[in-house]
Amino acid sequence: MELKNWRLTYEGYPELACEVPCSLYAALLDYELIEDPYYGLNEHKYTALCEKDCEFSCDFEVKGELKKDFVYLTFYGLDTLTTIYLNGKRLAETRDMHRTYTYDVKDRLVKGNNTLTVQFHSPIKEMAKKQNESYLWNNGDSVDGVSHLRKSMCMSGWDWAPKLPDMGIFRKVELTAYDVDAIGDVEVLQYHENGRVRLVIRADTKHGTACDLYAEIDGKTAKLEDGEAEIVIEAPSLWWVRGYGDQPLYDLTVSLKKGGTVLDTVTKRIGLRTLTVSTAKDKEGREFCFLCNGVKIFAMGADYIPEDSILKRVTAQRDRALLEDCCEANFNCLRVWGGGYYPDDWFFDACDELGILVWQDFMAACFPIRLSETFREDFTQEAIDNVRRLRHHACLGLLCGNNELEANLAHNPDLFGSQRIHMDYMELFERILPDICEKYAPQVFYWPSSPSSGGGLLHIDDETVGDSHYWDIWFGNKAFSEIRSHKIRFCSEYGFQSFPCMKTIRTFAEEADMNCYSRVFENHQKSGAGNSLMMTHLSRYHRFPYSMEQMVYATQLLQAEAMRCGVEYLRSIRGTCMGSLYWQLNDCWPVASWSSIDYYGRWKGLHYAARKFHAPISIAVFCEQSGVRVSLLNETREDFDGDLKIKLVTADLEVLYEEELDVSGEPLSATEVYDVCYEIKDPHSTFVCVELYEEGCLLARRSEMFAAPKHFSFRKPNISVRFEQAAGKTYAYIKADTYCKDVYLDFESFDCRLSDNFFDLTDKEEYRITVKTDRSVEELEKDLRILTVYDIGR
């Protein structure tokens, strides 16, 4: 029975009825007792709400439950510091939002009405108290003392997140009653041998009663003996990472029976596959490569953060929409970053279905940790809870100890404190967590930190092994091409900022605030150097924008180009590099950040670009001075044969030179197919267009200039757009009389998803895209807005 009809009690406000998931901010917002904390400067006045305690309570009826042998109360998500009372008597205290808490309450319940009260204690006060007792460094973007609590760290602020350390019940509270016994743990191991899969199913019961356990899958049933059974699948349908095959899933059901009566059942949905990480030696060091069913996967995707600072707003539907957006941009991998919280089951269910490989961090990021007795106890049990919850998922490819703690300790030993901090780090991430993973998920690869060369605080910056976080372009203010001087084995974090879309900006800023250095804008730019770095890079490539719309457009172009340069290069050295995960996929509020999708789900230029540079068959084009190199990228398991067309073209679309050649690429390969130097008479008005075709069908198009966009002699374009609707679909046909770079179509008062955007027009032919919308042609024509690179600074 899930407990419902909750009430929030908070000093200075009336008692408020609410339902789980519920929190302090969510309830006050639902009743319009506070303004939107994401608007303007509101964040600052609402942070202080979490300096006081609050209380959630509910009444529930108990009838037949008391006649059962066992009655338990389970809390699946308490954020974070609580004292729990049942019928006025203290039941427990909790300190970790990442844990599941279960209590025997049979002797505490009464027949009829019962009252459950959960008192939430101020996280801000607790952080201050712990910080006063034992100082732990942070960088000022978060509430001081944030790493003392087992709470989603970014809720207390990050360089892209507000300081809104909410309190509440973010997952269900459940009363369970049963007789005799119930199923406890269920684990399934896979052994792939000679085209068959041997499943080893292990299960136990909560109380060890003499009962029978049975496992059933694919029409086969086996009785567990001594807690274990084997079932062989003779002709398995294998689960594959997206892009390499299909994602069939099997239901594995474990039943508990006594005397022919079914007492309990547990069903796990699994995919039959092998999935691990290879760190085998090679001629360049050690590879870092996901292996799915023995096939080396080039991981392509991004780093995922919590989707909202107010967790009630994170739903299965919202998760699914975001993950489908990843699929539309040809992702095959996501890294769940360690400064948030472990996603809900529905997130992993969707990744199983969609074939998205998941790199899952344990929840620790950037700042030092002190292993007190209670902290060690909580982190240990939290890890066990979540490893057991997630280990059966087909999508789970890696468990990682933390984000950037090892690198920060190695690079800043004095800043990060005493020898005790270093000892605690080694104890937690190189003993406790790997031991837990070995015991509870022996077939899931464990990696101590990200980035890491394998642990021990050694060789952190050695790019020949392990994974890397590459920030030289953004924080180092280097040219986009600088990444080509590195031979990174797996780039698990690198990025470039941009502003969110204009309609998103208008949700938090008035017209008077439309300047990136206004108070409101700077409050929605949490990275201290963010705006200045964007402006510096902007000056390198583009003219200075004359309006906020142009500024937003220009920063999104920069972001898309920076990441295109990075991803295409890393794909072009496939074999040396086997993964590219950019920072970051999404936002937790409307903000300037490194995301490719903003808080409201609007695609920035980067996400449209990702659809192209993540495409299974694609090209990487490197244009420097008068030279052009092209690599054919084939991330499929089939041979590829196609045609490559290269044209040198003027800004007026006069073709100066063209050639066509047959190209081919082996499965899972990157092949250099073109390398030519031209005599360019006027680099400021000449561009190269490279197109890849398969049987006459255009697969990829790239246009590159031989001068920075700010110095290119663009002509003022005459762009025509016409819309057609047929057979339930809407199409846009775009053409221009001159070269148009990064054509951006937007609609002033509504959103549409386009099959392509931020595209180049390289000839005078119409370019057709699809428009996902229920709007009429007249509405589309009236609301359409167009920007190109020509418009920046004009």
Side-chain angles (χ1 to χ4, degrees), residues 680-696:
I680 307 297
K681 293 182 179 180
D682 185 1
H684 299 97
S685 64
T686 306
F687 69 94
V688 62
C689 177
V690 183
E691 297 174 330
L692 180 68
Y693 291 84
E694 183 181 32
E695 297 181 349

Side-chain angles (χ1 to χ4, degrees), residues 154-256:
C154 63
M155 293 174 73
S156 299
W158 216 259
D159 58 0
W160 39 261
K163 294 179 180 178
L164 296 170
D166 207 358
M167 300 178 279
I169 307 170
F170 69 100
R171 290 182 181 142
K172 68 180 180 178
V173 180
E174 189 174 49
L175 187 72
T176 306
Y178 55 88
D179 285 325
V180 186
D181 211 335
I183 297 171
D185 193 22
V186 174
E187 179 183 17
V188 57
L189 301 175
Q190 303 183 25
Y191 300 93
H192 292 239
E193 303 156 343
N194 302 317
R196 308 185 310 164
V197 179
R198 178 170 58 91
L199 299 176
V200 176
I201 301 103
R202 297 170 180 165
D204 60 18
T205 64
K206 293 182 178 179
H207 309 289
T209 308
C211 299
D212 296 322
L213 286 163
Y214 294 87
E216 188 274 330
I217 186 172
D218 197 34
K220 297 183 177 182
T221 302
K223 183 180 179 181
L224 276 69
E225 302 291 347
D226 297 322
E228 185 173 300
E230 290 191 7
I231 295 177
V232 175
I233 308 297
E234 295 289 348
S237 297
L238 295 183
W239 184 95
W240 287 91
V241 171
R242 183 177 187 83
Y244 299 84
D246 296 329
Q247 293 80 43
L249 296 168
Y250 292 74
D251 286 335
L252 169 68
T253 299
V254 175
S255 302
L256 177 66

Side-chain angles (χ1 to χ4, degrees), residues 561-577:
E561 181 64 10
M563 301 319 299
R564 183 192 68 80
C565 288
V567 176
E568 288 186 355
Y569 166 68
L570 294 176
R571 288 189 66 182
S572 77
I573 58 168
R574 189 192 201 279
T576 296
C577 179

